[in-house]
Amino acid sequence: MSSSVRTRFAPSPTGFLHIGGARTALFSWAYARRHGGKFVLRIEDTDVARSTPEAVQAILDGMAWLDLAHDEGPFYQMQRMDRYKAVIQEMLAAGTAYLCYTTPEELEAIREAQRARGEKPRYDGRWRPEAGKVLPEVPAGVAPVVRFRNPVEGVVAWDDLVKGHIEIANAELDDLVIARPDGTPTYNFCVVVDDWDMGITQVIRGDDHVNNTPRQINILRALGGTVPQYAHLSMILGDDGTKLSKRHGAVSVMQYKDEGFLPEAVINYLARLGWSHGDDEVFSREQFVAWFDLDHITPSAAQFNTEKLKWLNAHYIKLTEPAELAADVAQRLAARGIALEGGPDLATVVALYRERVSTLVELADAVAPFYARPVVDEALATQHLTAVAGEALAALASRLETVEWEKAALSAAIKEVCAEKGLKMPQVAIPLRVKLLGVPQTPSIDAVLEALGRERVLARLG
Ligand code: GLU
């Protein structure tokens, strides 16, 4: 299936790829995939004071981790300056834009007077050419800006795919500056030229851009371009119901990687952040692409729920092959200075824990004591490593010297010690866990013993 659908993700590289940006990217990507179209990546780096190569890399890394591959780009706006300037010249020639010599001081005086009259401050159009109008004399030594000649009549309207019909009177919009005195194009103008040149058919972006849309549509029309459809996604609120921000901790996508989330879980989670398919909560990327549409995006803000993300992550961890999990966990252990050499097979140990954790960090925490002998917490030792327990563990240790090293025999050995000492299973198994792994709870103790191996068990019991 191939179609003319072309979507784009157009981040400004001023920070990390955050959760909101990742969701915008996901929806744009999925819409293109769903319709057999193309997904374009465009880096909006014209804010040179705030854009950094590190931020570009962070965005590329985040998208690669989420496996949101673009079909075209990345296009960098800073590399398209000549194109924007050429379009500005064409607009000046066509009369859809004009030079304006109003100085910042004059502009401030105009606004001041408007405010004093109780009017909305805006450019008063003094340099806007009109039939029969005499323009002021061009002042010497003033570099002009270029302004777009916004229509004065009628309304600009669009049917937003999320927010519904939106319209605004042209009389509300003043003539936007599209090039600064030094000739550099302004933000809204670059976006329009890019969406036009890149043949974008659906603009899916955050609703912080709703106010730009009427201006962008007017400029696009003046250029003779086809107006795309717009879908403005509502903002994402943090767990506490306030606008998601750095205060909420992990807002960078890559931080979720560090915190042990799987990309599948993050994708599944983001997909449900403002979009729904009936009551479906758990679905694969492929399923999402097959289902995704712009009709089921909620216009209200979506609230982030870390617990739900963790729940999904636990689900995807369970579905992941132990060997694959082990490859990730090995790196986390190495970063903690824990060597695997000489220890039990990591995939085997991971398999014991994969159904019990909700992040890969928790998984690494759980398996670490198999490779680095834990220091038993004093309170735990006092509670569990009593004299009675000590005797039982000594008796067990001597049996474990010769027992066949497999689960059934290991389990039988523990039961024999329980019978011999008149103890219940937990009275032996819990001290045993504390002594071996430093924690009172683990997967079934026979499996733990089997995985740890005779030598390590005896050393730790000794
Ligand atoms: N560069 C803008 C941003 O990062 C997005 C612009 C757009 O999608 O039109 O918020």
Side-chain angles (χ1 to χ4, degrees):
M1 184 172 61
S2 104
S3 76
S4 55
V5 165
R6 294 174 61 84
T7 63
R8 66 3 174 237
F9 177 48
S12 303
T14 56
F16 300 110
L17 177 61
H18 53 81
I19 281 293
R23 183 190 58 169
T24 302
L26 173 65
F27 285 11
S28 302
W29 172 86
Y31 193 79
R33 287 287 169 276
R34 165 87 168 82
H35 294 279
K38 296 277 187 255
F39 174 55
V40 178
L41 177 60
R42 178 167 89 219
I43 305 292
E44 302 202 324
D45 56 354
T46 56
D47 184 348
V48 284
R50 293 175 64 224
S51 301
T52 65
E54 292 76 23
V56 171
Q57 195 54 49
I59 289 165
L60 297 175
D61 290 348
M63 292 185 69
W65 183 62
L66 292 172
D67 200 12
L68 299 177
H70 49 274
D71 304 301
E72 292 175 23
F75 298 108
Y76 293 83
Q77 288 188 324
M78 285 306 282
Q79 293 172 13
R80 290 178 41 78
M81 285 295 148
D82 291 347
R83 170 64 182 152
Y84 307 134
K85 288 178 183 168
V87 176
I88 286 169
Q89 289 312 315
E90 285 166 22
M91 290 177 77
L92 285 171
T96 52
Y98 62 92
L99 299 177
C100 167
Y101 292 87
T102 313
T103 62
E105 294 75 33
E106 280 178 279
L107 208 49
E108 194 38 53
I110 295 169
R111 291 187 179 136
E112 201 47 55
Q114 287 164 335
R115 274 192 287 261
R117 291 197 298 271
E119 293 166 12
K120 203 169 127 191
R122 55 184 285 158
Y123 171 63
D124 64 0
R126 58 182 61 185
W127 288 92
R128 179 180 167 118
E130 303 285 2
K133 174 175 163 186
V134 182
L135 293 177
E137 201 173 318
V138 173
V142 177
V145 299
V146 179
R147 286 188 186 267
F148 170 59
R149 200 166 182 282
N150 198 78
V152 281
E153 305 287 326
V155 296
V156 49
W158 77 98
D159 289 313
D160 196 275
L161 296 171
V162 177
K163 296 188 179 289
H165 187 78
I166 299 182
E167 65 174 47
I168 173 160
N170 275 320
E172 293 287 316
L173 305 170
D174 57 5
D175 289 349
L176 187 74
V177 173
I178 59 174
R180 301 182 186 89
D182 67 0
T184 57
T186 57
Y187 169 75
N188 271 297
F189 182 71
C190 299
V191 170
V192 172
V193 175
D194 286 349
D195 285 342
W196 180 39
D197 282 355
M198 295 169 195
I200 302 304
T201 52
Q202 279 79 22
V203 169
I204 301 170
R205 63 184 172 195
D207 69 0
D208 46 334
H209 292 283
V210 167
N211 290 341
N212 293 329
T213 307
R215 295 180 180 285
Q216 293 181 1
I217 290 176
N218 280 340
I219 299 173
L220 196 51
R221 288 215 174 105
L223 290 171
T226 308
V227 178
Q229 290 185 300
Y230 292 91
H232 286 98
L233 308 176
S234 300
M235 67 166 120
I236 300 175
L237 305 177
D239 282 289
D240 59 0
T242 65
K243 188 172 188 292
L244 193 65
S245 73
K246 292 203 181 73
R247 277 184 302 109
H248 292 94
V251 285
S252 145
V253 164
M254 293 310 263
Q255 202 171 325
Y256 287 96
K257 176 178 190 278
D258 294 346
E259 291 182 5
F261 289 88
L262 293 172
E264 301 90 295
V266 175
I267 288 282
N268 191 159
Y269 184 72
L270 289 178
R272 284 286 290 106
L273 213 47
W275 174 85
S276 60
H277 183 269
D279 292 332
D280 292 303
E281 291 289 354
V282 182
F283 42 81
S284 66
R285 172 191 297 268
E286 292 70 31
Q287 187 64 76
F288 175 55
V289 167
W291 283 338
F292 185 65
D293 58 10
L294 296 169
D295 306 330
H296 293 87
I297 295 181
T298 124
S300 54
Q303 187 156 352
F304 201 84
N305 181 337
T306 306
E307 284 314 307
K308 194 169 147 196
L309 172 59
K310 278 193 166 175
W311 173 78
L312 277 170
N313 203 45
H315 168 81
Y316 285 99
I317 288 176
K318 273 184 212 145
L319 294 182
T320 307
E321 286 302 321
E324 207 178 306
L325 296 171
D328 179 286
V329 168
Q331 289 179 16
R332 293 180 194 272
L333 294 179
R336 299 178 190 189
I338 297 176
L340 299 177
E341 287 73 37
D345 172 52
L346 184 57
T348 306
V349 181
V350 156
L352 292 179
Y353 285 91
R354 125 182 115 138
E355 310 223 338
R356 306 168 67 96
V357 295
S358 54
T359 69
L360 297 171
V361 169
E362 284 175 25
L363 188 55
D365 290 344
V367 306
F370 285 75
Y371 302 90
R373 187 171 178 171
V375 181
V376 180
D377 174 77
E378 235 176 89
L380 273 183
T382 315
Q383 189 186 350
H384 299 289
L385 302 181
T386 59
V388 173
E391 273 180 40
L393 294 186
L396 180 65
S398 75
R399 281 172 194 271
L400 294 183
E401 275 173 25
T402 53
V403 74
E404 191 191 340
W405 207 261
E406 57 83 34
K407 275 196 285 190
L410 291 164
S411 172
I414 300 171
K415 284 184 189 132
E416 284 161 26
V417 171
C418 289
E420 187 185 301
K421 304 282 181 193
L423 297 171
K424 297 214 173 70
M425 187 66 173
Q427 291 176 291
V428 177
I430 294 176
L432 183 55
R433 290 179 163 110
V434 170
K435 190 92 179 156
L436 296 176
L437 297 175
V439 288
Q441 278 157 359
T442 69
S444 96
I445 188 65
D446 48 358
V448 166
L449 289 172
E450 187 182 58
L452 258 178
R454 192 190 315 264
E455 214 179 299
R456 218 164 284 106
V457 168
L458 292 178
R460 291 183 186 190
L461 285 179

